[in-house]
Amino acid sequence: MTDDELVVEYVLTWRAHSGLDREEIAHLVVRKLGPSTVLDLASANLAAKGQLRASAHEAAVEYVLRLVLTLREDPDAS
């Protein structure tokens, strides 16, 4: 799953569950993904942070949150 696809999934989930906070939305997004994609996101989080201190699911959620917040702060980020 590309970052663009991940952001689209996040936005669609947010629109369906607008009363939830960012982390809860990220959890919903990660729950929809297959185990291989969750591991890919956890690996990307490990590469970005240089450490893995959580389960693969939690690391994937952290990656989704970091991606969304980065794009929110910089509209020209790719």
Side-chain angles (χ1 to χ4, degrees):
M1 173 173 268
T2 67
D3 284 351
D4 290 340
E5 292 169 328
L6 196 55
V7 169
V8 169
E9 186 62 38
Y10 183 93
V11 170
L12 291 174
T13 303
W14 169 73
R15 290 187 55 99
H17 305 281
S18 60
L20 299 178
D21 68 24
R22 290 182 191 112
E23 187 170 351
E24 291 169 325
I25 293 168
H27 275 281
L28 290 175
V29 169
V30 170
R31 280 190 207 125
K32 294 178 185 180
L33 306 174
S36 177
T37 304
V38 170
L39 288 176
D40 289 343
L41 295 178
S43 296
N45 192 50
L46 172 62
K49 290 187 69 178
Q51 61 183 341
L52 184 62
R53 292 187 174 183
S55 68
H57 178 86
E58 291 296 325
V61 167
E62 186 175 340
Y63 180 83
V64 171
L65 284 173
R66 185 179 300 107
L67 174 66
V68 169
L69 292 173
T70 299
L71 292 175
R72 183 173 175 221
E73 292 175 6
D74 183 5
D76 295 326
S78 54

